[in-house]
Amino acid sequence: MLPGLDIVNKLLFPTPQSTYTADDFPGELIWVPKSLNPDAASLEDCVPCLLLTTTSARFFILYLHSNAEDIGRCYNFCMSIRSQFQVHVLAVEYPGYGLCPGQADEDSVTENALVALNFLTQILEWPLDEILVLGRSIGCGPALQLAARHRVYGLVLIAPFISVRELFREYVGRAAEYIEERFANKNVIKQIESPLLLIHGKQDTVVPWTHGQALYRECRTRKRMVIPDDMKHNTNILHDAAFFVLPMLHFFSLPDYRFDDMIVPQWVFDRKPAQGDGKSGECVLTTSHVFQSTSASQRCREDTAGRPRPSPAHDGQSRAYSARPAVS
């Protein structure tokens, strides 16, 4: 690798200015310690996430966003998929994005994604076969890593890339050989055992749709690819149901239901500076209470009635088919 090519990492993770504060999204913004141990966790150990729950949903969607947004900016998208598919949603923040400390790179982003998955399976005790992992653009990298290590109910990739080196080859040609490889997705996708839904627009000029096609061909599990003719990299995929909503409903048989209560520990909502110890940058997460999370979103709506939300970003049997364009 040539000296100074860490600029590649800065291009992959431009870390836009935060669109939310610690006071936003009450009852939905949570803080997950990387160790899953809430006792005197430092701020650097806390991964901010959005936890959006609904009534009697069987499935969780774990969402890994694109590189030009944080979880505040993708809030409306997450709310929409919760409503469309009647699922719970957990959206994960990347280091350096929003309120999450650190610097985003392949390892740190994947680490945060694994923390979120461990939170679902170990703290909420949600089974892997009721979790869907959804990645968009750069988020497809950590999404594939999760699915390669854990057999989840399903994997959804929107505008994925073969690898960082191969993506840069589209722009700089042979000079890409001097770029250190990151997110070797073409190798990782061979390891997944979960069903795959892959969506990539033919008008994508950021990540050409042939990247998605190459990954689809390497996948060895049950799979489906959707190739909308009019979809670009940053297209609102909810605009036309044929792009995303209908394939999700049909391929994964959504929605489905379970009727036991989800118990969320109160400490995930408590992010407070440590008092009286003279130290900064620490949070004390208390462990004395739990509550049923089906009331969290209801309480949030009551507390924030009339308050505007951030606008969504839009960068945030095996067969392939093309989605039809919307008809006005």
Side-chain angles (χ1 to χ4, degrees), residues 58-61 87 117 126-133 146-147 150-156 193-197 221-222 248-256:
R58 175 187 172 192
F59 293 111
F60 247 106
I61 288 182
V87 295
L117 184 63
W126 215 263
L128 283 170
D129 62 3
E130 295 182 0
I131 297 173
L132 284 150
V133 177
L146 294 190
H150 301 277
R151 187 171 183 173
V152 292
Y153 180 74
L155 172 65
V156 185
E193 299 180 353
S194 305
L196 168 70
L197 175 62
T221 188
R222 176 175 169 260
M248 285 283 290
L249 293 173
H250 295 160
F251 189 67
F252 293 116
S253 300
L254 301 175
D256 202 354

Side-chain angles (χ1 to χ4, degrees), residues 137-207:
S137 191
I138 198 68
C140 293
L144 273 162
Q145 289 288 340
L146 294 190
R149 303 181 195 190
H150 301 277
R151 187 171 183 173
V152 292
Y153 180 74
L155 172 65
V156 185
L157 302 179
I158 303 171
F161 52 97
I162 295 171
S163 72
V164 168
R165 181 179 291 160
E166 292 306 309
L167 179 58
F168 272 77
R169 195 183 305 278
E170 303 283 347
Y171 297 91
V172 300
R174 293 182 180 180
E177 294 298 328
Y178 298 100
I179 295 173
E180 183 180 14
E181 185 62 290
R182 299 166 173 87
F183 292 120
N185 295 333
K186 191 173 181 178
N187 297 330
V188 177
I189 202 167
K190 299 174 184 179
Q191 304 170 31
I192 71 167
E193 299 180 353
S194 305
L196 168 70
L197 175 62
L198 193 154
I199 301 168
H200 211 142
K202 276 198 172 181
Q203 301 302 315
D204 193 333
T205 58
V206 178
V207 182

Side-chain angles (χ1 to χ4, degrees), residues 20-68:
Y20 64 100
T21 71
D23 296 323
D24 289 325
F25 314 121
E28 297 171 330
L29 181 61
I30 66 172
W31 309 87
V32 182
K34 293 179 181 179
S35 66
L36 303 183
N37 179 5
D39 295 331
S42 69
L43 250 176
E44 286 69 26
D45 293 329
C46 299
V47 179
C49 299
L50 280 176
L51 177 62
L52 308 178
T53 63
T54 190
T55 303
S56 304
R58 175 187 172 192
F59 293 111
F60 247 106
I61 288 182
L62 194 162
Y63 180 56
L64 297 158
H65 60 73
S66 65
N67 69 346

Side-chain angles (χ1 to χ4, degrees), residues 81-132:
I81 62 175
R82 180 182 73 168
S83 175
Q84 288 278 359
F85 307 129
Q86 298 178 46
V87 295
H88 309 295
V89 179
L90 183 68
V92 187
E93 194 61 282
Y94 301 156
Y97 281 68
L99 302 181
C100 189
Q103 173 61 51
D105 58 27
E106 179 181 13
D107 292 336
S108 65
V109 167
T110 301
E111 179 187 24
N112 278 20
L114 286 167
V115 168
L117 184 63
N118 289 338
F119 170 74
L120 291 181
T121 58
Q122 297 178 33
I123 302 300
L124 300 189
E125 299 182 348
W126 215 263
L128 283 170
D129 62 3
E130 295 182 0
I131 297 173
L132 284 150

Side-chain angles (χ1 to χ4, degrees), residues 15-22 24 69-73 93 96-100:
T15 58
Q17 184 175 0
S18 178
T19 63
Y20 64 100
T21 71
D24 289 325
E69 61 184 349
D70 58 19
I71 60 174
R73 200 171 178 201
E93 194 61 282
Y97 281 68
L99 302 181
C100 189

Side-chain angles (χ1 to χ4, degrees), residues 216-231:
Y216 181 78
R217 288 172 175 169
E218 295 293 335
C219 180
R220 300 166 180 170
T221 188
R222 176 175 169 260
K223 59 187 178 179
R224 179 173 297 173
M225 184 173 182
V226 184
I227 314 169
D229 289 334
D230 298 329
M231 178 178 161

